[in-house]
Amino acid sequence: MKTGRLEAFSDGVLAIIITIMVLELKVPEEGTFEALKPLIPKIISYIISFMYVGIYWNNHHHLFQIIEKINGKVLWANLILLFFLSLLPFSTAWMGENHFAQNTIAVYGFNLLLCALAYSFVLNTALMLESKDSLLAKAFKNKTKGTISSILYLIGIILSFFYPKISLFLYFIVAMIWLIPDKRVEKNII
Amino acid sequence: MKTGRLEAFSDGVLAIIITIMVLELKVPEEGTFEALKPLIPKIISYIISFMYVGIYWNNHHHLFQIIEKINGKVLWANLILLFFLSLLPFSTAWMGENHFAQNTIAVYGFNLLLCALAYSFVLNTALMLESKDSLLAKAFKNKTKGTISSILYLIGIILSFFYPKISLFLYFIVAMIWLIPDKRVEKNII
Amino acid sequence: MKTGRLEAFSDGVLAIIITIMVLELKVPEEGTFEALKPLIPKIISYIISFMYVGIYWNNHHHLFQIIEKINGKVLWANLILLFFLSLLPFSTAWMGENHFAQNTIAVYGFNLLLCALAYSFVLNTALMLESKDSLLAKAFKNKTKGTISSILYLIGIILSFFYPKISLFLYFIVAMIWLIPDKRVEKNII
Amino acid sequence: MKTGRLEAFSDGVLAIIITIMVLELKVPEEGTFEALKPLIPKIISYIISFMYVGIYWNNHHHLFQIIEKINGKVLWANLILLFFLSLLPFSTAWMGENHFAQNTIAVYGFNLLLCALAYSFVLNTALMLESKDSLLAKAFKNKTKGTISSILYLIGIILSFFYPKISLFLYFIVAMIWLIPDKRVEKNII
């Protein structure tokens, strides 16, 4: 089974997820700068989630560039990933709407954690199809980044009830870990 | 006529259907866990429909991978399928909004039945273009799964007025029938 | 300039147009069949527009299958077509919301007329790039269907203020003209 | 890294941005022509933004047709461009909702300016990957249009507080600069 249509479908879903989040920025009825102020927390949470969906799209793109064959399991693992990503517009808007209240930060972190676990599930089902010497196996042998991310999410979820700002900072750190290009992987891919 | 653009268009529509369902999860105004509780039936119905749209995408993907030529009839049969699938966000949200009230479960089952009938219509119009010895004819000779699904939907619709929970369970069973990979079909395809 | 990305972009826009119309079917707060009744005019207008967008996608698909080269003018003519098609969800919902009131039927017909004119504009800009002996010129020499459609829309718009039901019937007739496959064109294409 | 999937993803996001703007045209509850009048400023702002997104899609299309290789930086520059473009439905609706109030015109111009800067960032990151003799370097050597646009946006933002109509006219002029095909570029591309 080729990966073409899976990529096209995932691109479609990711493009919609990243774009419909802007629909939660409800247009203020007044045309003053004052009226834009209550939108600031929403815009901040939109930026964070835009970055995250961008990171997932970017990694998904990289991953399926070196995957050669897939089976039904990879298709379903990918759908589970898309499901948890599709909840991001909700958890993002809830966090923005409630000015980063403690519970909303915990739920947002939990959503990010579920996405991360689903992503490694996609990776593992794909690895099971390839030999240990394959390009994929080599490129993704080192799972440190994934493990660190999950641990930081978990700490973030727990801390959200005590120091919500630190949680947000941790989520931001994880995004940065993924944003800064991973030389080792790039080398293996190209 | 090649299938490329039909697949791209269907992927687009399915990607939008599967994603806009999340827009029905209206963001609660309060940032408490309590405020999330009323969303539980909506999330459950979202999960069921996400699974169903995923199954349809998966099967559509498989089907058009072995279809070699299409004509105007297949195009229109496919549009009828997309129409009934496009009603799923509505029937899903109605069912979730009303906490799985009897009527809403009946309508949801009716929607699923219409999708199933439209899907076999697509399959039949495609089969009419191929010879009896074609890959397609062999792979989809056995229509037991389709027939069982339609019967279970019908029973589900009728039972919804008496035992709505059993109806939901039947819809879930049908999803499972399709989720568990069909070894026979996979063998014929590859 | 190749047509690949123009087709992909148009498919994306058409897929979204055809799907977001369902968002106008607001979910009733009650779970009774009674609560679904007010939605009937909306569903009827949704069906008509779904058919129309399907027809445009189908014809667009056919047209760009035989177009070999495009230029900036075709790109912009195509964007004008997409613009008028993007207004269909609005005029459809307005007509459904107001139970096919006279003015709404006139505006809906006007929208359909603008789409038809934009479509022939796309066709003409494409024809200007090809020789008179090209496949495209031969396949689309006969413009009777386009002319009849525009005349029927015009009559429909005028009649909407006196006999709105006849207008709706005329719009339906035009859809049928395009739904029934045009043997002559198909022959020229393949 | 090939550009195929970046183009597909960008097309998806641009298709959604251009289409969801129509969701801001809220359907009037009455079926009279009077009820359509308050929508006129919204439709005008929709037309301007539709033109702009069309221009960006068109230029994006041209740009990535001659780009041969990309890296992570181009991917992220492209995501930043998509982010600012994704804010257009918001600033467009705000401007239309408030009948082109001064502040809304300033914010709209600022959004356009950010899009223009992000676009030249994409262009520059792509240029850094190519040699000075490359097709890309030649085609985009002359940056006059980009510079003039940014200056006109800046003037527009400042003037919006004194002569808002002139600002709108300036934004319109910039759109026209880009709409009229750039012979020089076309020649270099083909």
Side-chain angles (χ1 to χ4, degrees):
Chain A
M1 215 185 291
K2 282 172 193 163
T3 63
R5 218 179 143 184
L6 181 143
E7 290 179 65
F9 183 71
S10 306
D11 276 3
V13 172
L14 289 171
I16 299 159
I17 290 171
I18 215 170
T19 323
I20 60 173
M21 283 192 290
V22 88
L23 290 176
E24 297 293 343
L25 295 177
K26 300 274 181 288
V27 176
E29 283 179 29
E30 278 172 58
T32 59
F33 290 137
E34 280 298 305
L36 289 181
K37 264 193 192 163
L39 290 174
I40 292 170
K42 286 190 173 187
I43 289 171
I44 293 169
S45 58
Y46 177 39
I47 291 171
I48 300 172
S49 289
F50 196 96
M51 253 167 50
Y52 265 109
V53 179
I55 288 165
Y56 274 102
W57 174 73
N58 208 332
N59 283 292
H60 198 269
H61 183 135
H62 274 73
L63 177 58
F64 283 90
Q65 226 169 3
I66 49 174
I67 284 180
E68 270 157 34
K69 50 186 176 185
I70 51 167
N71 61 1
K73 270 184 200 163
V74 180
L75 282 181
W76 279 104
N78 190 56
L79 276 168
I80 291 170
L81 172 63
L82 294 179
F83 176 76
F84 289 126
L85 287 170
S86 82
L87 295 177
L88 272 182
F90 172 81
S91 56
T92 304
W94 194 45
M95 189 168 72
E97 179 85 26
N98 292 286
H99 299 73
F100 302 98
Q102 301 179 355
N103 295 341
T104 64
I105 290 178
V107 167
Y108 186 72
F110 187 57
N111 196 346
L112 289 177
L113 179 63
L114 289 171
C115 294
L117 295 177
Y119 187 78
S120 45
F121 184 47
V122 172
L123 185 54
N124 288 333
T125 52
L127 278 172
M128 270 160 43
L129 285 175
E130 312 251 343
S131 74
K132 285 197 175 173
D133 301 326
S134 68
L135 200 57
L136 187 70
K138 278 180 204 157
F140 291 95
K141 200 171 52 186
N142 192 326
K143 289 176 186 171
T144 326
K145 258 167 98 169
T147 315
I148 291 175
S149 306
S150 295
I151 292 169
L152 288 179
Y153 289 142
L154 266 176
I155 298 175
I157 294 167
I158 296 161
L159 281 185
S160 67
F161 301 102
F162 311 101
Y163 311 101
K165 278 179 189 169
I166 294 178
S167 300
L168 270 184
F169 181 69
L170 288 178
Y171 303 160
F172 186 75
I173 292 289
V174 177
M176 283 305 121
I177 292 176
W178 291 95
L179 268 182
I180 294 156
D182 189 337
K183 291 294 173 205
R184 182 178 42 75
V185 173
E186 290 237 333
K187 239 179 277 166
N188 278 308
I189 290 171
I190 301 154
Chain B
M1 216 185 290
K2 282 171 193 165
T3 64
R5 217 180 144 185
L6 181 143
E7 290 179 64
F9 183 71
S10 305
D11 276 2
V13 172
L14 289 171
I16 300 159
I17 290 172
I18 215 169
T19 323
I20 59 172
M21 284 192 290
V22 88
L23 290 177
E24 297 292 344
L25 295 177
K26 299 274 181 286
V27 177
E29 284 180 27
E30 280 173 56
T32 57
F33 289 138
E34 278 299 305
L36 289 182
K37 264 194 192 162
L39 290 174
I40 292 171
K42 286 190 172 186
I43 289 171
I44 293 169
S45 58
Y46 178 37
I47 292 171
I48 300 172
S49 289
F50 196 96
M51 252 167 51
Y52 265 109
V53 180
I55 288 166
Y56 273 102
W57 174 73
N58 207 332
N59 282 292
H60 198 269
H61 183 136
H62 274 74
L63 177 59
F64 282 91
Q65 227 170 4
I66 49 174
I67 284 181
E68 270 157 34
K69 49 185 177 187
I70 53 167
N71 62 0
K73 271 185 199 162
V74 180
L75 282 180
W76 279 104
N78 190 56
L79 277 168
I80 291 171
L81 171 63
L82 294 179
F83 176 76
F84 289 126
L85 286 170
S86 83
L87 295 177
L88 272 183
F90 172 80
S91 56
T92 304
W94 194 43
M95 189 168 71
E97 180 84 25
N98 292 286
H99 300 72
F100 301 99
Q102 300 179 355
N103 295 341
T104 64
I105 290 178
V107 167
Y108 186 72
F110 187 58
N111 196 346
L112 289 177
L113 179 62
L114 290 171
C115 293
L117 295 176
Y119 187 78
S120 45
F121 184 48
V122 172
L123 184 55
N124 288 332
T125 53
L127 278 172
M128 271 161 43
L129 285 175
E130 312 252 342
S131 74
K132 284 198 176 174
D133 301 325
S134 67
L135 201 58
L136 187 70
K138 279 181 203 155
F140 292 95
K141 200 171 52 186
N142 192 326
K143 290 175 186 173
T144 324
K145 258 166 96 169
T147 315
I148 291 175
S149 306
S150 296
I151 292 170
L152 288 179
Y153 288 142
L154 266 175
I155 298 175
I157 294 167
I158 295 162
L159 281 185
S160 66
F161 301 104
F162 309 102
Y163 311 100
K165 279 179 190 169
I166 294 177
S167 300
L168 270 184
F169 181 69
L170 288 177
Y171 303 159
F172 186 75
I173 291 289
V174 177
M176 282 305 121
I177 291 176
W178 291 95
L179 268 182
I180 294 157
D182 189 337
K183 292 292 174 204
R184 183 178 41 76
V185 172
E186 291 238 332
K187 239 179 277 167
N188 278 307
I189 290 171
I190 302 154
Chain C
M1 216 184 292
K2 281 171 195 165
T3 64
R5 218 180 144 185
L6 181 143
E7 291 179 63
F9 183 71
S10 306
D11 276 2
V13 173
L14 289 171
I16 300 158
I17 291 172
I18 216 170
T19 323
I20 59 172
M21 285 192 289
V22 87
L23 290 176
E24 297 293 343
L25 295 176
K26 299 275 181 287
V27 176
E29 283 179 30
E30 280 172 57
T32 59
F33 289 139
E34 278 299 304
L36 289 182
K37 264 193 191 163
L39 290 175
I40 292 171
K42 286 190 171 185
I43 289 171
I44 293 170
S45 58
Y46 178 38
I47 292 171
I48 300 172
S49 290
F50 196 97
M51 253 168 51
Y52 264 109
V53 180
I55 288 166
Y56 273 101
W57 174 73
N58 207 331
N59 282 293
H60 198 269
H61 183 136
H62 274 73
L63 178 58
F64 282 90
Q65 225 169 4
I66 49 175
I67 284 179
E68 269 157 34
K69 49 184 177 188
I70 53 167
N71 62 0
K73 271 185 199 163
V74 179
L75 282 181
W76 279 104
N78 190 56
L79 275 168
I80 291 171
L81 171 63
L82 293 179
F83 176 76
F84 289 127
L85 286 170
S86 83
L87 295 177
L88 272 182
F90 172 81
S91 56
T92 304
W94 195 44
M95 189 168 71
E97 179 84 26
N98 292 286
H99 300 73
F100 301 99
Q102 301 180 355
N103 294 341
T104 64
I105 290 177
V107 167
Y108 186 72
F110 188 59
N111 196 346
L112 289 177
L113 179 62
L114 290 171
C115 293
L117 294 177
Y119 187 78
S120 46
F121 184 48
V122 173
L123 184 55
N124 287 333
T125 53
L127 278 172
M128 270 161 42
L129 284 175
E130 311 252 343
S131 74
K132 284 198 177 174
D133 301 326
S134 67
L135 200 58
L136 187 70
K138 278 181 203 155
F140 291 95
K141 200 170 53 185
N142 192 326
K143 290 175 186 171
T144 326
K145 258 166 96 169
T147 315
I148 290 176
S149 306
S150 296
I151 293 171
L152 288 179
Y153 288 142
L154 267 176
I155 298 175
I157 294 166
I158 296 162
L159 281 185
S160 67
F161 301 103
F162 310 102
Y163 311 100
K165 279 179 188 167
I166 293 178
S167 300
L168 271 184
F169 182 69
L170 288 178
Y171 303 159
F172 185 75
I173 291 288
V174 177
M176 283 304 121
I177 291 176
W178 290 95
L179 268 182
I180 294 157
D182 189 337
K183 291 294 173 204
R184 183 179 41 76
V185 172
E186 290 237 333
K187 239 178 276 167
N188 279 308
I189 291 170
I190 301 154
Chain D
M1 217 185 289
K2 281 173 193 163
T3 64
R5 216 179 145 186
L6 181 143
E7 290 179 64
F9 183 71
S10 306
D11 276 2
V13 173
L14 289 170
I16 298 159
I17 290 171
I18 215 170
T19 323
I20 59 172
M21 284 192 290
V22 88
L23 290 176
E24 296 293 343
L25 295 177
K26 298 274 182 287
V27 176
E29 284 180 27
E30 280 173 55
T32 58
F33 289 138
E34 279 298 306
L36 289 181
K37 264 192 192 164
L39 290 174
I40 292 171
K42 286 190 172 186
I43 289 171
I44 292 170
S45 58
Y46 177 37
I47 291 171
I48 300 172
S49 289
F50 196 96
M51 253 167 51
Y52 265 109
V53 180
I55 288 165
Y56 274 102
W57 173 72
N58 207 333
N59 282 294
H60 198 268
H61 183 135
H62 274 74
L63 178 58
F64 282 90
Q65 226 169 4
I66 50 175
I67 285 179
E68 269 156 34
K69 50 185 178 188
I70 53 168
N71 61 1
K73 272 185 198 162
V74 180
L75 282 181
W76 278 103
N78 190 56
L79 276 168
I80 291 170
L81 172 62
L82 294 178
F83 176 75
F84 290 126
L85 286 170
S86 83
L87 295 177
L88 273 182
F90 172 80
S91 57
T92 304
W94 194 44
M95 189 168 72
E97 179 85 25
N98 292 286
H99 300 73
F100 301 99
Q102 300 179 356
N103 294 341
T104 64
I105 290 178
V107 168
Y108 186 72
F110 187 59
N111 196 345
L112 290 177
L113 179 62
L114 290 171
C115 293
L117 295 177
Y119 187 78
S120 46
F121 184 48
V122 173
L123 185 54
N124 288 333
T125 52
L127 279 172
M128 270 160 43
L129 285 175
E130 312 252 342
S131 74
K132 285 199 176 174
D133 301 325
S134 67
L135 200 58
L136 187 70
K138 278 182 203 154
F140 292 94
K141 199 172 54 187
N142 192 327
K143 290 175 186 171
T144 326
K145 260 166 95 169
T147 316
I148 291 176
S149 305
S150 295
I151 293 170
L152 289 179
Y153 289 141
L154 266 175
I155 298 175
I157 294 166
I158 296 161
L159 281 185
S160 67
F161 301 103
F162 310 100
Y163 313 99
K165 279 180 188 167
I166 293 178
S167 299
L168 270 184
F169 182 70
L170 288 177
Y171 303 159
F172 186 75
I173 291 289
V174 177
M176 283 305 120
I177 292 175
W178 290 95
L179 268 182
I180 294 157
D182 189 337
K183 291 295 172 202
R184 184 178 41 76
V185 173
E186 291 237 331
K187 239 179 276 166
N188 278 308
I189 291 171
I190 301 153

